[in-house]
Amino acid sequence: MSFPSDSPADPVASGEPLLSVRGLKVHFPVHRGVLLRRVAGHVRAVDGVDLDVARGMTYGLVGESGCGKSTLGKAVLRLVEPTSGTVLFNGADIGGQSPEDMRRLRRHMQMVFQDPLASLNPRQSVESALTEPLRAHGFTGDRSRRVRELLDLVGMPSGAAGRYPHEFSGGQRQRIGIARAIALNPELIIADEPVSALDVSIQAQIVNLLEDLQKELGLTYVVVAHDLAVVRHVSDVIGVMYLGALVEESSSDALYAQPLHPYTIALMSAIPIPDPEVEERRRRILLTGDLPSPMNIPPGCRFHTRCPFRQPTRCADEPPGLREARPGRKVACHWAEEIAAGSIRAAASAHDPTATEVGTPSP
Amino acid sequence: MVFRQRGRADVRAVDGVSFSVSPGETVGLVGESGCGKSVTSLAIMGLLPKRGVRVEGSVAFDGTELLALPPDKLRALRGRELAVVFQDPMTSLNPVVPIGTQVTEVLTRHRGLSNGEARREAADLLRRVGIPDPSRRLREYPHQLSGGMRQRALIATALACRPRLLIADEPTTALDVTIQAQILELLRTLVAESGTALILITHDLGVVAGMCDTVHVMYSGRIVERAPRHDLFRDPRHPYTGGLLASVPRLDQPRGARLEPIKGSPRDTIPWATGCAFAPRCPNRIEACTPEAPELVGERHALRCVNPLRSAPEAKVVPR
């Protein structure tokens, strides 16, 4: 690649994670009043997250809307400013970088967005959208050759270069978004819901493309998504988020073989499986009530207000830390072992959709 | 209920779709965006604009021809006997009217309840759909409710008059999976307890697998496969149905297998007048696919395809 040499800290000894996040918090102040504007509270979107992403791996972040997974993804790229905590990329703390150093660093960390139509300029041709990052980062080679190369990598004809975003289907647009993200040969790509805006038959094409590119270019991914089936398919390690915090982290296979955290258990039992026989036999654990407001996170375990396995002690007053419950598996639940062993069972009320009074957060 | 209908003059959105729903039955319409499944629901409810749209065929509801009904008669039926729940509750609820007024309006209008009775009934409805603290929620506006609660409030208004036919058009697509599970459970209970006929429109094969008795797979405005759900999922015969099932990763199957997407995109469809609309994307395409479009043939398991997927060997009976 013909780029000015400004590679970040030399590739460190293997085994060192490419991305390392410690105690990351992103709190947004909420203001009240017009004349006397004062801070009425904070939305704790990300509330103390630690995670490591190994080189060449895919880390999947799952959780429901409002759990802070997208904010976490953006904070890693410093697209939103973290309130506290550190993000180490290749050993360099991105929090301490000057704007110019940060700009250079971004060459190595790129983002793929959910809605390609919203993230591509409708009045910019594909060629222009793809050469812009090249120009901005001082690419000295043959730009139009690089554009053709990129289009070929993402499975688009080179004739696409002169056309505009509206001329393409959703899947093709997402391919262009991906081509733009890989234009600078990044090491890390954060993909925020990369397939959820696409038709079912197209999603698989994009999933396969992301996998191929990872193999070919040695990319490291953080995939943020709500669709657990897709995340499981692409990820090596999965972190499950609830109300701004990781509640469980595990290898993808182990997580799906036996989820340990009650929230993960409920989440997985809620996912419909396209097979009527499986659907009829499986046991569903329905969560009651709604997600509490991230401005007002419940004390103790943040999930205790909706937890079907809630116990009279510890859950309401003692916040569980993310601990290693089994080798390589972290879970933030006091009772994970008992639940896994079957000695604590889900409350009966959790199966009754009308029993919403149980477990709803008090206002 | 049997109906046939044709879509717009130039763009044929829906072409010769026929199906029926019985009380207590759930029928699924499955397909991707643009396949005409939502237009079908609008046509049944008589909600398509009069100008620029030509609807042909018949929509018979309990012997009444809905397409021939004058607007005021249809309006009286809608909301009482027929109800519909759309995908996005924010566009169906009036943002400047409290939830309570929107639920009680149906009750006072169609069931002739007094205001007091209607309020009590409305609170009861909200409780039934799982909204906690209903009397407080009745005074609130749609924006004060979460997405899941809005959808439940909308379902409450749809259920207010105990409709005999409910159309749910992507009722859970905008919601999180745990909330989706609650709403689907609610719909299941409704169908089982009150014998409502449910038409469920969705793109999610998982939702269909757990809900529908009969499934209609639509592609480009026509039904390409119709079967009882067990037959459809065990033995998909149309290449489009098979392709859809092969392209979604499944939680209950080992990881690592590569997904098999359907090639191209719904844009690559050809008009039915020139052959099978799916032919350009079809892995089983043969010469007979064009220029004559195949007919939907078969009784229990109907198929619109000249070169279907091979039938799966008789599946072993799953022990209960």
Side-chain angles (χ1 to χ4, degrees):
Chain A
M1 287 295 297
S2 349
F3 278 111
S5 69
D6 65 335
S7 56
D10 286 322
V12 238
S14 62
E16 191 87 351
L18 178 67
L19 179 74
S20 179
V21 175
R22 286 292 170 271
L24 189 73
K25 290 187 180 181
V26 184
H27 292 182
F28 298 106
V30 176
H31 298 279
R32 283 259 160 78
V34 180
L35 284 176
L36 295 165
R37 232 166 94 88
R38 60 199 162 77
V39 176
H42 284 90
V43 168
R44 286 146 69 188
V46 179
D47 204 21
V49 167
D50 296 345
L51 58 86
D52 289 311
V53 182
R55 218 172 274 279
M57 297 297 233
T58 301
Y59 189 103
L61 265 180
V62 291
E64 297 182 281
S65 48
C67 74
K69 55 191 191 303
S70 292
T71 308
L72 175 58
K74 285 182 188 150
V76 165
L77 297 185
R78 232 174 123 199
L79 294 174
V80 295
E81 204 62 42
T83 309
S84 66
T86 55
V87 177
L88 296 181
F89 175 72
N90 243 337
D93 183 356
I94 68 156
Q97 306 287 330
S98 70
E100 175 56 22
D101 287 344
M102 194 62 224
R103 197 183 72 81
R104 285 166 194 265
L105 254 182
R106 288 225 172 88
R107 208 191 96 192
H108 306 279
M109 41 210 308
Q110 291 288 321
M111 188 139 185
V112 172
F113 297 93
Q114 171 174 5
D115 180 358
L117 195 56
S119 57
L120 294 169
N121 182 345
R123 295 175 51 169
Q124 192 176 29
S125 70
V126 171
E127 169 135 39
S128 158
L130 293 180
T131 46
E132 196 171 15
L134 298 176
R135 244 179 290 131
H137 287 272
F139 178 81
T140 48
D142 183 345
R143 285 193 204 127
S144 63
R145 214 184 99 206
R146 177 68 181 153
V147 167
R148 286 198 304 277
E149 223 172 78
L150 286 169
L151 287 173
D152 186 51
L153 269 172
V154 299
M156 297 276 288
S158 53
R163 289 158 68 188
Y164 288 83
H166 75 266
E167 299 178 62
F168 299 99
S169 67
Q172 290 172 316
R173 276 181 215 134
Q174 194 57 293
R175 285 174 194 271
I176 296 164
I178 292 170
R180 191 173 54 172
I182 61 171
L184 299 166
N185 260 356
E187 292 174 78
L188 175 70
I189 286 191
I190 308 233
D192 191 354
E193 301 278 8
V195 299
S196 58
L198 305 174
D199 263 323
V200 187
S201 68
I202 310 298
Q203 290 191 359
Q205 296 177 1
I206 299 297
V207 166
N208 286 349
L209 173 66
L210 287 171
E211 287 182 339
D212 292 345
L213 290 174
Q214 180 165 44
K215 258 181 244 140
E216 219 162 305
L217 308 173
L219 296 168
T220 305
Y221 289 139
V222 173
V223 175
V224 177
H226 71 279
D227 185 332
L228 275 94
V230 168
V231 169
R232 180 229 190 187
H233 185 86
V234 298
S235 306
D236 302 296
V237 179
I238 291 179
V240 182
M241 279 186 85
Y242 184 77
L243 273 185
L246 281 179
V247 294
E248 183 163 2
E249 187 186 80
S250 162
S251 79
S252 172
D253 292 328
L255 185 80
Y256 285 88
Q258 189 182 23
L260 294 178
H261 194 280
Y263 177 63
T264 322
I265 296 172
L267 201 57
M268 295 208 347
S269 85
I271 295 169
I273 290 177
D275 184 336
E277 270 138 32
V278 176
E279 278 289 304
E280 277 160 19
R281 273 179 291 142
R282 68 205 287 241
R283 188 162 155 267
R284 238 180 231 96
I285 295 173
L286 285 180
L287 285 184
T288 51
D290 279 305
L291 197 69
S293 157
M295 266 183 80
N296 193 9
I297 293 177
C301 171
R302 53 190 71 223
F303 185 56
H304 85 269
T305 53
R306 298 171 75 198
C307 182
F309 298 91
R310 180 171 38 151
Q311 295 301 300
T313 55
R314 301 183 77 188
C315 292
D317 43 27
E318 189 186 331
L322 197 63
R323 63 192 171 89
E324 192 146 351
R326 288 183 190 177
R329 301 199 58 176
K330 292 183 191 156
V331 60
C333 174
H334 297 304
W335 307 98
E337 285 83 359
E338 288 82 353
I339 292 168
S343 57
I344 296 180
R345 288 172 188 282
S349 61
H351 298 288
D352 181 358
T354 55
T356 28
E357 309 299 343
V358 184
T360 32
S362 45
Chain B
M1 203 199 86
V2 181
F3 87 99
R4 302 181 76 84
Q5 73 129 16
R6 284 194 167 181
R8 300 165 202 177
D10 293 330
V11 181
R12 212 165 253 201
V14 176
D15 196 357
V17 165
S18 303
F19 62 88
S20 63
V21 205
S22 320
E25 190 190 15
T26 302
V27 159
L29 290 185
V30 197
E32 298 179 284
S33 49
C35 74
K37 54 196 195 300
S38 291
V39 176
T40 306
S41 75
L42 294 175
I44 298 171
M45 300 297 286
L47 291 173
L48 287 172
K50 293 276 167 287
R51 281 164 162 271
V53 182
R54 196 158 43 92
V55 180
E56 290 167 17
S58 140
V59 182
F61 174 73
D62 207 9
T64 314
E65 177 53 56
L66 295 187
L67 291 184
L69 225 53
D72 56 325
K73 288 253 173 62
L74 188 60
R75 207 175 302 125
L77 214 55
R78 246 186 344 235
R80 198 177 66 218
E81 309 252 304
L82 311 168
V84 61
V85 177
F86 292 108
Q87 172 177 353
D88 181 5
M90 224 25 196
T91 55
S92 303
L93 293 168
N94 188 334
V96 295
V97 174
I99 295 290
T101 315
Q102 305 194 43
V103 182
T104 50
E105 186 189 8
V106 194
L107 294 165
T108 47
R109 190 187 167 94
H110 288 297
R111 278 171 55 189
L113 298 185
S114 72
N115 283 337
E117 286 168 338
R119 279 206 94 74
R120 271 193 300 280
E121 175 83 28
D124 192 51
L125 277 166
L126 291 195
R127 193 173 301 113
R128 266 185 55 206
V129 297
I131 295 182
D133 199 0
S135 37
R136 178 169 66 96
R137 292 297 181 191
L138 281 177
R139 287 191 299 274
E140 293 190 339
Y141 291 86
H143 74 269
Q144 292 171 291
L145 272 57
S146 68
M149 258 201 254
R150 268 180 231 142
Q151 192 62 294
R152 274 176 276 179
L154 198 62
I155 292 179
T157 55
L159 303 187
C161 293
R162 301 184 198 110
R164 291 163 62 208
L165 172 69
L166 177 66
I167 300 179
D169 187 350
E170 303 268 11
T172 57
T173 307
L175 305 175
D176 282 318
V177 280
T178 56
I179 307 295
Q180 163 170 291
Q182 293 173 7
I183 301 281
L184 294 180
E185 193 59 44
L186 182 70
L187 290 175
R188 250 183 233 122
T189 316
L190 171 79
V191 170
E193 283 176 3
S194 62
T196 300
L198 176 65
I199 300 176
L200 183 69
I201 296 175
T202 178
H203 69 279
D204 189 331
L205 293 162
V207 170
V208 171
M211 295 284 296
C212 303
D213 301 305
T214 309
V215 186
H216 299 77
V217 181
M218 288 184 70
Y219 191 79
S220 190
R222 288 192 185 184
I223 291 172
V224 294
E225 186 164 10
R226 180 195 70 221
R229 69 173 163 164
H230 286 274
D231 298 10
L232 187 84
F233 284 91
R234 195 183 53 226
D235 185 21
R237 300 296 310 281
H238 198 283
Y240 178 63
T241 318
L244 278 184
L245 284 168
S247 63
V248 290
R250 280 177 56 163
L251 273 188
D252 61 333
Q253 283 178 348
R255 191 171 85 93
R258 200 172 159 80
L259 300 180
E260 287 171 38
I262 301 176
K263 65 176 182 179
S265 80
R267 278 192 171 195
D268 302 325
T269 298
I270 56 168
W272 284 105
T274 58
C276 173
F278 186 61
R281 303 176 68 192
C282 186
N284 273 23
R285 181 181 181 170
I286 52 172
E287 263 181 31
C289 294
T290 50
E292 291 268 306
E295 291 297 315
L296 189 67
V297 286
E299 276 299 311
R300 189 178 149 84
H301 192 150
L303 195 62
R304 188 190 293 279
C305 185
V306 288
N307 186 24
L309 301 175
R310 272 200 322 167
S311 184
E314 198 50 46
K316 52 196 177 303
V317 180
V318 180
R320 280 285 162 103

